[in-house]
Amino acid sequence: MEPHLYPIPKSNLLKRFTPVFSQFQKARHSTVVALPYGGRSSHLRFINSQPELQIELGKPENDTFVWVETKSAKNFTQLATQICVALDQSLLTNPILVSQDDYLVATLLQSTINKIPHPIILCLTLGRANIDIHPDVEHQFVLLIKQCPNLKILWSLDSFSLRNYHPGHTSTPIVESVFYLPSFSKVETDHSLKRTAKNRDKTLSSKLLSKSMELTGGLAGLFHLLVFQGENFLHTPQVQEILKT
């Protein structure tokens, strides 16, 4: 098997995410938390593309795992629109979604979920970019879960969003089962850097690899910059912004 198929060594990936996915065998929801730019979203995107890996991680075989990109959502209606399309591509041009009417879109989301005859694990990422919509998302999903018994949610949060999240409902699903993902270890960092370099047809010097933890702190959001710019990446505006979070 390709040695760098997985974003980090497979054994490490299983160790990180098996507790998260096994939770769906006995409960409805699970939450992963990592540092900003810590790599949780890239891992979950990869897991979404690997059905066999999902089973190894503990996802029930009959459940469908659905990844939804939520960074651009500025309110619940925009988020609900993205979820509807992720569940059913034919809804892309649906007049209700085009209208962006709050009530109609929420109703369409509920009916779309209820039409699916098997359990759904919906992966939602909430972070610094859309922290303002958290209270509305929490409220709407408390209502939605009551109406959709086949719905399970994998919440993906960064530590910034969790630190600034204040539960507003006693039935909130966001903090039902929380799992913290540490930043990458030296082994995981070097594996990911080599994988990134190979995929981008770049060469990593042994010097950079020897200083990988010193330069990145194990934050996956820095790996591409390091591969493309070397140590000079530390002076870029993107890195300075990351270091301030």
Coordinates of all heavy atoms in Angstrom, one line a residue, residues 157-227:
L157 N -15.0 21.3 16.1 CA -14.7 22.6 16.6 C -13.2 22.9 16.8 O -12.5 21.9 17.0 CB -15.4 22.8 18.0 CG -16.9 22.5 18.1 CD1 -17.3 22.7 19.6 CD2 -17.7 23.3 17.2
D158 N -12.8 24.1 16.7 CA -11.5 24.4 17.1 C -11.6 25.0 18.6 O -12.6 25.3 19.1 CB -10.8 25.4 16.2 CG -11.4 26.8 16.1 OD1 -12.1 27.2 17.1 OD2 -11.2 27.4 15.1
S159 N -10.4 25.0 19.2 CA -10.4 25.4 20.7 C -10.9 26.8 20.9 O -11.5 27.1 21.9 CB -9.0 25.2 21.3 OG -8.0 25.9 20.5
F160 N -10.7 27.7 19.9 CA -11.2 29.0 20.0 C -12.7 29.1 20.0 O -13.3 29.8 20.9 CB -10.7 29.9 18.8 CG -11.2 31.3 18.8 CD1 -10.4 32.3 19.4 CD2 -12.3 31.6 18.1 CE1 -10.9 33.6 19.4 CE2 -12.8 33.0 18.1 CZ -12.1 33.9 18.8
S161 N -13.3 28.3 19.1 CA -14.8 28.3 19.1 C -15.4 27.7 20.4 O -16.4 28.1 20.9 CB -15.3 27.7 17.8 OG -14.9 26.3 17.8
L162 N -14.8 26.6 20.8 CA -15.3 26.0 22.1 C -15.1 26.9 23.3 O -16.0 27.0 24.1 CB -14.5 24.7 22.3 CG -15.0 23.9 23.5 CD1 -16.5 23.4 23.4 CD2 -14.1 22.7 23.8
R163 N -14.0 27.6 23.3 CA -13.7 28.5 24.5 C -14.7 29.6 24.5 O -15.1 30.1 25.6 CB -12.3 29.0 24.3 CG -11.9 29.8 25.6 CD -10.4 30.1 25.5 NE -9.9 30.9 24.4 CZ -9.2 30.4 23.4 NH1 -8.8 29.2 23.4 NH2 -8.9 31.2 22.4
N164 N -15.2 30.0 23.3 CA -16.2 31.1 23.2 C -17.6 30.7 23.1 O -18.5 31.5 22.8 CB -15.8 32.1 22.1 CG -14.5 32.8 22.4 OD1 -14.6 33.9 23.0 ND2 -13.4 32.3 21.9
Y165 N -17.8 29.4 23.2 CA -19.2 28.8 23.1 C -19.8 28.7 24.5 O -19.2 28.2 25.4 CB -19.1 27.4 22.5 CG -20.4 26.7 22.6 CD1 -21.6 27.1 21.9 CD2 -20.5 25.5 23.4 CE1 -22.8 26.4 22.0 CE2 -21.7 24.8 23.5 CZ -22.8 25.3 22.8 OH -24.0 24.6 22.9
H166 N -21.0 29.2 24.6 CA -21.8 29.2 25.9 C -23.1 28.5 25.6 O -24.0 29.1 25.0 CB -22.0 30.6 26.4 CG -20.7 31.4 26.6 ND1 -19.8 31.1 27.6 CD2 -20.2 32.4 25.8 CE1 -18.8 32.0 27.4 NE2 -19.0 32.7 26.4
P167 N -23.3 27.3 26.1 CA -24.5 26.5 25.8 C -25.7 27.3 26.2 O -25.8 27.9 27.3 CB -24.4 25.3 26.6 CG -22.9 25.1 26.8 CD -22.3 26.5 26.9
G168 N -26.7 27.4 25.3 CA -27.9 28.2 25.5 C -29.1 27.4 25.7 O -30.2 27.9 25.9
H169 N -28.9 26.0 25.6 CA -30.1 25.1 25.7 C -29.7 23.9 26.5 O -28.6 23.3 26.2 CB -30.6 24.8 24.3 CG -31.9 24.2 24.3 ND1 -32.2 22.9 24.7 CD2 -33.1 24.7 23.9 CE1 -33.5 22.7 24.6 NE2 -34.1 23.8 24.0
T170 N -30.5 23.4 27.3 CA -30.2 22.2 28.1 C -30.0 21.0 27.3 O -29.4 20.0 27.7 CB -31.2 22.0 29.2 OG1 -32.5 21.9 28.6 CG2 -31.3 23.1 30.2
S171 N -30.6 21.0 26.1 CA -30.5 19.8 25.2 C -29.5 19.9 24.1 O -29.5 19.2 23.1 CB -31.9 19.5 24.6 OG -32.9 19.2 25.6
T172 N -28.6 20.9 24.3 CA -27.6 21.1 23.2 C -26.8 19.8 22.9 O -26.3 19.2 23.9 CB -26.6 22.2 23.6 OG1 -25.7 22.4 22.5 CG2 -25.9 22.0 24.9
P173 N -26.7 19.5 21.7 CA -25.9 18.3 21.3 C -24.4 18.5 21.2 O -23.6 17.6 21.0 CB -26.5 17.9 20.0 CG -26.9 19.2 19.3 CD -27.3 20.1 20.5
I174 N -24.0 19.8 21.2 CA -22.6 20.1 20.9 C -21.6 19.6 21.9 O -20.5 19.2 21.6 CB -22.4 21.6 20.7 CG1 -23.3 22.1 19.5 CG2 -21.0 22.0 20.4 CD1 -23.3 23.6 19.2
V175 N -22.0 19.6 23.2 CA -21.1 19.2 24.2 C -21.5 17.8 24.8 O -21.1 17.5 26.0 CB -20.9 20.2 25.3 CG1 -20.2 21.5 24.7 CG2 -22.3 20.6 25.9
E176 N -22.2 17.0 24.1 CA -22.7 15.7 24.6 C -21.5 14.8 24.9 O -21.4 14.1 25.9 CB -23.6 15.1 23.6 CG -24.3 13.8 24.0 CD -25.3 13.3 23.0 OE1 -26.4 14.1 22.9 OE2 -25.1 12.3 22.4
S177 N -20.6 14.7 23.9 CA -19.4 13.8 24.0 C -18.2 14.5 23.3 O -18.2 14.5 22.1 CB -19.6 12.4 23.4 OG -20.7 11.8 24.0
V178 N -17.3 15.0 24.1 CA -16.2 15.8 23.5 C -14.9 15.1 23.6 O -14.5 14.5 24.6 CB -16.1 17.2 24.3 CG1 -15.0 18.0 23.7 CG2 -17.4 18.0 24.3
F179 N -14.2 15.1 22.4 CA -12.9 14.4 22.3 C -11.9 15.5 21.8 O -12.1 16.1 20.8 CB -12.9 13.2 21.4 CG -13.9 12.2 21.8 CD1 -15.2 12.2 21.4 CD2 -13.5 11.1 22.6 CE1 -16.1 11.2 21.7 CE2 -14.4 10.2 23.0 CZ -15.7 10.2 22.6
Y180 N -10.8 15.6 22.6 CA -9.8 16.6 22.2 C -8.7 15.9 21.4 O -8.1 14.9 21.8 CB -9.2 17.2 23.5 CG -10.1 18.1 24.2 CD1 -11.0 17.5 25.2 CD2 -10.3 19.4 24.0 CE1 -11.9 18.3 25.9 CE2 -11.2 20.2 24.7 CZ -12.0 19.6 25.6 OH -12.9 20.4 26.3
L181 N -8.3 16.5 20.3 CA -7.3 16.0 19.4 C -6.0 16.8 19.6 O -6.0 18.0 19.4 CB -7.7 16.0 18.0 CG -8.9 15.3 17.5 CD1 -9.1 15.4 16.0 CD2 -8.9 13.8 18.0
P182 N -4.9 16.2 20.1 CA -3.7 16.9 20.3 C -3.0 17.3 19.0 O -3.4 16.8 17.9 CB -2.8 15.9 21.0 CG -3.3 14.6 20.6 CD -4.8 14.7 20.4
S183 N -2.2 18.3 19.0 CA -1.4 18.7 17.8 C -0.6 17.5 17.4 O -0.3 16.6 18.1 CB -0.6 19.9 18.0 OG 0.3 19.7 19.1
F184 N -0.1 17.5 16.1 CA 0.7 16.4 15.6 C 1.9 16.1 16.4 O 2.6 17.0 16.8 CB 1.0 16.7 14.1 CG -0.1 16.5 13.2 CD1 -1.4 16.5 13.6 CD2 0.1 16.4 11.8 CE1 -2.5 16.4 12.7 CE2 -0.9 16.3 10.9 CZ -2.2 16.3 11.3
S185 N 2.2 14.8 16.5 CA 3.5 14.4 17.1 C 4.6 14.6 16.0 O 4.3 14.9 14.9 CB 3.5 13.0 17.5 OG 3.3 12.1 16.4
K186 N 5.8 14.4 16.4 CA 7.0 14.5 15.5 C 6.8 13.5 14.3 O 7.0 13.8 13.2 CB 8.3 14.2 16.2 CG 9.5 14.0 15.3 CD 9.9 15.3 14.6 CE 11.2 15.2 13.9 NZ 11.5 16.3 13.1
V187 N 6.4 12.2 14.7 CA 6.2 11.2 13.6 C 5.0 11.6 12.7 O 5.2 11.5 11.5 CB 5.9 9.8 14.3 CG1 5.4 8.8 13.3 CG2 7.1 9.3 15.0
E188 N 3.9 12.1 13.3 CA 2.8 12.5 12.4 C 3.2 13.7 11.6 O 2.8 13.8 10.4 CB 1.6 12.8 13.3 CG 1.0 11.6 14.0 CD 0.1 12.0 15.1 OE1 0.1 13.1 15.6 OE2 -0.7 11.1 15.5
T189 N 3.9 14.7 12.1 CA 4.3 15.9 11.4 C 5.2 15.5 10.2 O 4.9 16.0 9.1 CB 5.0 16.8 12.4 OG1 4.1 17.3 13.4 CG2 5.6 18.0 11.6
D190 N 6.2 14.7 10.4 CA 7.1 14.3 9.4 C 6.4 13.5 8.3 O 6.6 13.7 7.1 CB 8.3 13.5 9.9 CG 9.2 14.4 10.7 OD1 9.0 15.6 10.8 OD2 10.2 13.8 11.3
H191 N 5.5 12.7 8.7 CA 4.7 11.9 7.7 C 3.9 12.8 6.9 O 3.8 12.7 5.6 CB 3.8 10.9 8.5 CG 2.9 10.1 7.6 ND1 3.1 8.8 7.2 CD2 1.7 10.5 6.9 CE1 2.1 8.4 6.4 NE2 1.3 9.4 6.2
S192 N 3.2 13.8 7.5 CA 2.3 14.7 6.8 C 3.1 15.6 5.9 O 2.7 15.9 4.7 CB 1.5 15.5 7.7 OG 0.5 16.3 7.1
L193 N 4.3 16.1 6.3 CA 5.1 16.9 5.5 C 5.6 16.2 4.3 O 5.6 16.7 3.1 CB 6.3 17.4 6.3 CG 6.0 18.6 7.3 CD1 7.2 18.8 8.2 CD2 5.7 19.9 6.6
K194 N 6.0 14.9 4.4 CA 6.5 14.1 3.3 C 5.4 13.9 2.3 O 5.6 13.9 1.1 CB 7.1 12.8 3.8 CG 8.4 13.0 4.6 CD 8.9 11.6 5.1 CE 10.1 11.8 5.9 NZ 10.6 10.5 6.5
R195 N 4.2 13.6 2.9 CA 3.0 13.4 2.0 C 2.7 14.7 1.2 O 2.4 14.6 0.0 CB 1.8 13.0 2.9 CG 0.5 12.7 2.1 CD -0.5 12.2 3.1 NE -1.7 11.8 2.5 CZ -2.8 12.5 2.3 NH1 -2.8 13.7 2.8 NH2 -3.9 12.0 1.8
T196 N 2.7 15.8 1.9 CA 2.4 17.1 1.2 C 3.4 17.4 0.1 O 3.1 17.8 -1.0 CB 2.4 18.2 2.2 OG1 1.4 18.0 3.2 CG2 2.1 19.6 1.6
A197 N 4.7 17.2 0.4 CA 5.8 17.4 -0.5 C 5.6 16.5 -1.8 O 5.7 16.9 -2.9 CB 7.1 17.2 0.1
K198 N 5.3 15.2 -1.5 CA 5.2 14.3 -2.6 C 4.0 14.7 -3.5 O 4.1 14.6 -4.7 CB 5.0 12.9 -2.1 CG 4.8 11.8 -3.2 CD 4.7 10.4 -2.6 CE 4.6 9.4 -3.8 NZ 4.5 8.0 -3.3
N199 N 2.9 15.0 -2.9 CA 1.7 15.4 -3.7 C 1.9 16.6 -4.5 O 1.2 16.9 -5.5 CB 0.5 15.5 -2.7 CG 0.0 14.2 -2.2 OD1 0.3 13.1 -2.7 ND2 -0.7 14.2 -1.1
R200 N 2.8 17.5 -4.0 CA 3.0 18.8 -4.7 C 4.3 18.7 -5.5 O 4.8 19.8 -6.0 CB 3.1 19.9 -3.7 CG 1.8 20.1 -2.9 CD 0.7 20.5 -3.8 NE -0.5 20.8 -3.0 CZ -1.4 19.9 -2.6 NH1 -1.3 18.6 -3.0 NH2 -2.5 20.3 -1.9
D201 N 4.9 17.5 -5.6 CA 6.1 17.4 -6.4 C 7.3 18.3 -5.9 O 8.0 18.9 -6.7 CB 5.9 17.6 -7.9 CG 7.0 17.0 -8.8 OD1 7.6 16.1 -8.3 OD2 7.2 17.5 -9.9
K202 N 7.4 18.3 -4.6 CA 8.4 19.1 -3.9 C 9.4 18.2 -3.2 O 9.1 17.1 -2.9 CB 7.8 20.1 -2.9 CG 6.9 21.2 -3.6 CD 7.7 22.2 -4.4 CE 6.8 23.3 -4.9 NZ 7.6 24.3 -5.7
T203 N 10.6 18.8 -2.9 CA 11.6 18.0 -2.1 C 11.8 18.7 -0.8 O 12.0 19.9 -0.7 CB 12.9 18.0 -2.9 OG1 12.7 17.4 -4.2 CG2 13.9 17.2 -2.1
L204 N 11.8 17.9 0.3 CA 12.0 18.4 1.6 C 13.4 18.0 2.0 O 13.9 16.9 1.9 CB 11.0 17.8 2.6 CG 9.7 18.4 2.8 CD1 8.9 17.6 3.8 CD2 9.9 19.8 3.4
S205 N 14.2 19.0 2.5 CA 15.5 18.8 2.9 C 15.5 18.1 4.3 O 14.6 18.2 5.1 CB 16.3 20.1 3.0 OG 15.8 20.9 4.1
S206 N 16.5 17.3 4.6 CA 16.7 16.7 5.9 C 16.7 17.8 7.0 O 16.3 17.5 8.1 CB 17.9 15.8 5.9 OG 19.1 16.5 5.6
K207 N 17.3 18.9 6.7 CA 17.4 20.0 7.7 C 16.0 20.5 8.1 O 15.7 20.6 9.3 CB 18.2 21.2 7.1 CG 18.3 22.4 8.0 CD 18.9 23.6 7.4 CE 18.9 24.8 8.3 NZ 19.6 26.0 7.7
L208 N 15.1 20.6 7.1 CA 13.8 21.1 7.4 C 13.0 20.0 8.3 O 12.3 20.3 9.2 CB 13.0 21.4 6.2 CG 13.2 22.7 5.5 CD1 12.3 22.9 4.3 CD2 12.9 23.9 6.5
L209 N 13.2 18.8 7.9 CA 12.5 17.7 8.6 C 13.0 17.6 10.1 O 12.3 17.4 11.0 CB 12.8 16.3 7.9 CG 11.9 16.1 6.7 CD1 12.3 14.8 6.1 CD2 10.4 16.0 7.1
S210 N 14.3 17.8 10.2 CA 14.9 17.8 11.6 C 14.3 18.9 12.5 O 14.3 18.7 13.7 CB 16.4 17.8 11.5 OG 16.9 19.1 11.1
K211 N 13.9 20.0 11.9 CA 13.3 21.1 12.6 C 11.8 21.2 12.5 O 11.3 22.3 12.8 CB 14.0 22.4 12.1 CG 15.5 22.4 12.3 CD 16.2 23.6 11.6 CE 15.8 24.9 12.3 NZ 16.5 26.1 11.7
S212 N 11.2 20.2 12.0 CA 9.7 20.2 11.7 C 8.9 20.7 12.9 O 8.0 21.5 12.8 CB 9.2 18.9 11.2 OG 9.4 17.9 12.2
M213 N 9.2 20.2 14.1 CA 8.4 20.5 15.2 C 8.7 21.9 15.7 O 7.8 22.7 16.1 CB 8.6 19.5 16.4 CG 8.0 18.1 16.1 SD 6.3 18.1 15.8 CE 5.6 18.5 17.4
E214 N 10.0 22.3 15.7 CA 10.4 23.6 16.0 C 9.7 24.7 15.2 O 9.3 25.8 15.6 CB 11.9 23.8 16.0 CG 12.4 25.2 16.2 CD 13.9 25.2 16.0 OE1 14.6 24.2 15.9 OE2 14.4 26.4 15.9
L215 N 9.6 24.4 13.9 CA 9.0 25.3 12.9 C 7.5 25.4 12.9 O 6.9 26.4 12.6 CB 9.6 25.0 11.5 CG 11.1 25.3 11.3 CD1 11.5 24.7 10.0 CD2 11.4 26.8 11.3
T216 N 6.9 24.3 13.1 CA 5.4 24.2 12.9 C 4.6 23.9 14.2 O 3.4 24.2 14.3 CB 5.0 23.1 12.0 OG1 5.3 21.8 12.5 CG2 5.8 23.2 10.6
G217 N 5.3 23.4 15.3 CA 4.6 23.1 16.5 C 3.5 22.0 16.3 O 2.6 21.8 17.1
G218 N 3.7 21.2 15.2 CA 2.7 20.2 14.9 C 1.4 20.6 14.4 O 0.4 19.9 14.4
L219 N 1.3 21.9 13.9 CA 0.0 22.4 13.4 C -0.1 22.2 11.9 O 0.7 22.8 11.1 CB -0.1 23.9 13.7 CG -0.3 24.3 15.2 CD1 -0.3 25.8 15.3 CD2 -1.5 23.7 15.8
A220 N -1.0 21.4 11.5 CA -1.1 21.0 10.1 C -1.3 22.2 9.1 O -0.9 22.1 8.0 CB -2.3 20.0 9.9
G221 N -1.9 23.3 9.7 CA -2.2 24.4 8.8 C -0.9 25.1 8.4 O -1.0 26.0 7.5
L222 N 0.2 24.8 8.9 CA 1.5 25.4 8.6 C 2.3 24.5 7.6 O 3.3 25.0 7.0 CB 2.4 25.6 9.8 CG 1.8 26.5 10.9 CD1 2.7 26.7 12.1 CD2 1.4 27.9 10.3
F223 N 1.9 23.3 7.4 CA 2.7 22.4 6.6 C 2.9 22.8 5.2 O 4.0 22.7 4.6 CB 2.1 20.9 6.7 CG 2.1 20.3 8.1 CD1 1.4 19.2 8.4 CD2 2.9 20.9 9.1 CE1 1.4 18.6 9.6 CE2 2.9 20.4 10.4 CZ 2.2 19.2 10.6
H224 N 1.8 23.2 4.5 CA 2.0 23.5 3.1 C 2.9 24.7 2.9 O 3.7 24.8 2.0 CB 0.6 23.9 2.5 CG -0.2 22.7 2.1 ND1 -0.9 21.9 3.1 CD2 -0.5 22.1 0.9 CE1 -1.5 20.9 2.4 NE2 -1.3 21.0 1.1
L225 N 2.8 25.7 3.8 CA 3.7 26.9 3.7 C 5.1 26.5 3.9 O 6.0 27.0 3.2 CB 3.3 27.9 4.8 CG 1.9 28.6 4.5 CD1 1.5 29.4 5.7 CD2 2.0 29.5 3.3
L226 N 5.4 25.6 4.8 CA 6.8 25.1 5.1 C 7.3 24.4 3.9 O 8.5 24.6 3.5 CB 6.8 24.2 6.3 CG 8.2 23.7 6.7 CD1 9.2 24.8 6.9 CD2 8.1 22.7 7.9
V227 N 6.5 23.6 3.3 CA 6.9 22.8 2.1 C 7.3 23.7 0.9 O 8.3 23.5 0.2 CB 5.9 21.8 1.7 CG1 6.2 21.2 0.3 CG2 5.8 20.7 2.7

